[in-house]
Amino acid sequence: MRYAKNILETIGNTPLVQLNSVTKEIDALVLAKVETFNPGNSIKDRMALKMIEDAEADGRLKPGGTIIEGTSGNTGMGLALAAIIKGYQCIFVISDKQSKEKMDILRAVGAEVIVCPTNVEPEDPRSYYSVSKRLGEETPNSWYVNQYDNPSNAITHYEQTGPEIWEQTDGKITHLVVGVGTGGTISGTAKYLKEQNPNIKIWGIDTYGSVFKKYHETGIFDENEIYPYITEGIGEDILPKNVDFSVIDGFTKVTDKDAAVYTRKIALEEGIFVGNSAGSAIKGMLQLKENFKKDDVVVVIFHDHGSRYVGKMFNDDWMRERGFLDEEITTAADLIKSHLDKDLITVQTEELVSHAIERMREFKISQIPVRDVNGLVGSVDESALLHRYIEDKNIADTPIKNVMGAMYPVVQLNASIDAVSKLITKENQAVMVDLGNGKHHIITKHDIINAI
Ligand SMILES: Cc1ncc(COP(=O)(O)O)c(C=O)c1O
């Protein structure tokens, strides 16, 4: 019989898979180290277990103890799995930028999850660095992991990821491309590989809003470079001790949009369903393509699984809201596509102004078409109601039919965006789209601004 004695024994020895489509512009053999094959679906299982084992060995983590960490999710998953097998509790502090799926997954494996604001300085007491540190000091029999500065993090990759890649490529690897967060993956893997062959080039992938690239190139920690970004898992506003800049040959920065678009491409073109930092790494590799030659063997690390991003990069509405979908928006049909699933909010002629105001408040809308039993007959809009209210404070109890304005113009689904936007004026705030069978949907100025 061949079986693992527990789930932790299945960590590591992940496959190396050739990429055949997303990197076809690159004239080299490109291989992805697909870390989703780990039991927690990410590379972080490796270092989570090693950090725990090292802390057990030197007494920092004692039997029945509580593991505390500021984690964007993947390290938490690895720690939680090991905690279950080894009998520890986990408290994880996570920033509110992280996907809800990541938080739910951590709770599913028994961890307590505390959510902190992203847009505060690391020194701020509300930041996830500060909160996790404070919990570490206040919780009895606890151990604060600190993956950023914990040397066991990079050592894991020196002991596992580096040797695996070296063996799997038969020592033929020429370049390594890795997204950098705590720096553990790139530093440990690079150190091992460069010891085998100092000519191997190591490229770090950074984000806009992070300090790594400039610091590597100039030695300047530029606080002006720090601003919120969407890409998950990579880039930092601190310099973690686990980033060993001396083994990294260069960084390239990838935009949030490109990272998201390429994350989707990997799933669609390679059938490899991986997370956001994989998209960054592939786009970064394409930005670096001049550096690769025909006989090169380029290895890229895919850190985590796509399932953690189904509400984000893999969701069309999420992509559309951020302008990440390069969709051609040319007609009225395109403009209403994202809210076609929602019912048209209307108010009836005999309802009162207070009902219309309540509906505007509940649905956060500024225009409402008015209907009677025969169909649409008029409209009410927020600013007109406000003017009427200033004239007459009793207006809330007035029937809509006494205050409503003209019905919005109606267009067909194939009306051009130009034609639709010309109909929206200071006096007329919306356009109705005829869906057939007496049904309509609404296009507002807001929808047009979003689209363009
Ligand atoms: C999805 C994802 N990609 C990349 C990284 C970066 O790995 P490392 O922290 O080893 O630099 C992380 C780690 O936080 C991650 O969660």
Side-chain angles (χ1 to χ4, degrees):
M1 292 193 286
R2 256 188 300 135
Y3 60 91
K5 290 198 195 65
N6 62 50
I7 196 68
L8 304 180
E9 290 190 357
T10 69
I11 294 174
N13 293 312
T14 53
L16 199 58
V17 181
Q18 180 175 349
L19 300 182
N20 300 298
S21 174
V22 280
T23 52
K24 57 178 177 279
E25 286 172 38
I26 294 174
D27 195 17
L29 176 63
V30 180
L31 304 171
K33 180 85 168 145
V34 187
E35 289 292 314
T36 58
F37 283 82
N38 286 301
N41 295 140
S42 96
I43 195 167
K44 297 285 181 163
D45 291 353
R46 297 172 182 268
M47 51 74 104
L49 179 59
K50 167 90 178 152
M51 290 191 298
I52 287 180
E53 286 174 349
D54 288 355
E56 286 173 331
D58 63 18
R60 280 171 294 156
L61 179 58
K62 297 183 189 66
T66 300
I67 297 171
I68 297 176
E69 179 60 329
T71 166
S72 65
N74 289 322
T75 302
M77 184 60 160
L79 290 168
L81 297 186
I84 289 169
I85 304 300
K86 289 167 165 284
Y88 301 111
Q89 315 299 314
C90 289
I91 303 178
F92 298 137
V93 185
I94 188 164
S95 71
D96 57 7
K97 182 180 86 170
Q98 304 304 325
S99 55
K100 187 170 175 303
E101 292 87 342
K102 281 186 178 178
M103 302 176 195
D104 289 342
I105 288 168
L106 291 178
R107 292 188 177 113
V109 284
E112 186 181 331
V113 178
I114 296 172
V115 182
C116 293
T118 312
N119 298 339
V120 294
E121 302 288 315
E123 303 78 36
D124 188 297
R126 293 164 300 165
S127 82
Y128 92 116
Y129 304 109
S130 307
V131 172
S132 35
K133 221 168 171 170
R134 180 172 54 75
L135 282 169
E137 283 154 13
E138 288 173 1
T139 312
N141 192 18
S142 67
W143 166 58
Y144 173 46
V145 181
N146 190 7
Q147 61 172 325
Y148 293 93
D149 300 334
N150 187 326
S152 307
N153 174 1
I155 293 171
T156 310
H157 300 288
Y158 179 81
E159 291 177 353
Q160 298 178 22
T161 319
E164 285 178 29
I165 293 172
W166 182 253
E167 278 161 33
Q168 286 171 308
T169 59
D170 219 2
K172 295 194 176 78
I173 174 173
T174 55
H175 298 78
L176 179 72
V177 177
V178 192
V180 184
T182 67
T185 310
I186 196 165
S187 306
T189 311
K191 183 166 186 274
Y192 179 85
L193 291 174
K194 287 210 172 204
E195 278 175 12
Q196 312 313 306
N197 174 2
N199 296 325
I200 295 173
K201 291 279 175 278
I202 310 293
W203 285 98
I205 304 297
D206 195 12
T207 54
Y208 288 88
S210 156
V211 296
F212 289 145
K213 182 171 191 285
K214 181 162 185 180
Y215 183 79
H216 182 255
E217 289 167 4
T218 64
I220 296 167
F221 179 87
D222 186 353
E223 290 192 19
N224 292 315
E225 287 206 309
I226 300 171
Y227 52 83
Y229 53 85
I230 292 170
T231 303
E232 290 188 37
I234 65 171
E236 289 298 342
D237 51 3
I238 53 168
L239 293 175
K241 290 206 179 91
N242 271 309
V243 187
D244 178 355
F245 287 94
S246 72
V247 292
I248 301 170
D249 292 286
F251 279 93
T252 185
K253 284 194 180 212
V254 176
T255 64
D256 288 332
K257 177 180 175 180
D258 283 342
V261 167
Y262 276 83
T263 304
R264 291 164 69 112
K265 268 176 180 283
I266 299 167
L268 285 172
E269 295 182 21
E270 304 286 350
I272 305 177
F273 190 41
V274 282
N276 194 200
S277 63
S280 294
I282 290 299
K283 181 57 173 48
M285 188 192 285
L286 292 169
Q287 289 169 193
L288 296 166
K289 68 178 179 188
E290 309 304 332
N291 293 278
F292 311 126
K293 299 185 305 296
K294 193 169 180 323
D295 294 327
D296 285 345
V297 177
V298 186
V299 174
V300 57
I301 292 184
F302 287 172
H303 281 79
D304 72 345
H305 199 260
S307 58
R308 290 177 192 173
Y309 306 86
V310 286
K312 294 193 159 188
M313 293 78 203
F314 293 109
N315 177 298
D316 282 353
D317 290 338
W318 186 94
M319 292 287 281
R320 196 172 285 122
E321 276 160 28
R322 285 154 189 82
F324 287 178
L325 282 187
D326 288 328
E327 291 178 312
E328 275 239 59
I329 298 185
T330 57
T331 63
D334 300 331
L335 284 167
I336 57 170
K337 197 157 63 188
S338 66
H339 47 265
L340 252 188
D341 56 330
K342 300 191 185 96
D343 286 338
L344 178 65
I345 311 295
T346 59
V347 60
Q348 283 169 222
T349 45
E350 297 305 323
E351 285 187 277
L352 305 180
V353 167
S354 58
H355 296 135
I357 292 172
E358 187 47 41
R359 230 153 282 166
M360 287 178 181
R361 201 157 45 194
E362 183 184 345
F363 296 101
K364 296 192 175 62
I365 52 179
S366 305
Q367 295 83 30
I368 305 188
V370 180
R371 69 161 79 240
D372 67 10
V373 288
N374 297 315
L376 297 175
V377 292
S379 66
V380 278
D381 86 73
E382 201 175 44
S383 52
L385 281 185
L386 176 69
H387 286 124
R388 297 290 294 262
Y389 176 80
I390 290 166
E391 284 163 18
D392 174 8
K393 301 279 187 293
N394 297 320
I395 195 175
D397 300 332
T398 311
I400 288 290
K401 67 171 187 276
N402 296 354
V403 303
M404 70 184 189
M407 153 100 163
Y408 298 128
V410 178
V411 298
Q412 299 304 308
L413 279 165
N414 62 359
S416 73
I417 187 165
D418 273 5
V420 173
S421 45
K422 278 191 190 121
L423 290 171
I424 294 191
T425 59
K426 221 165 120 212
E427 290 72 39
N428 180 66
Q429 300 284 327
V431 169
M432 302 309 296
V433 186
D434 185 354
L435 304 177
N437 298 332
K439 291 196 166 151
H440 295 84
H441 225 302
I442 190 166
I443 295 172
T444 65
K445 189 163 67 181
H446 183 74
D447 295 323
I448 294 186
I449 291 171
N450 266 353
I452 59 177

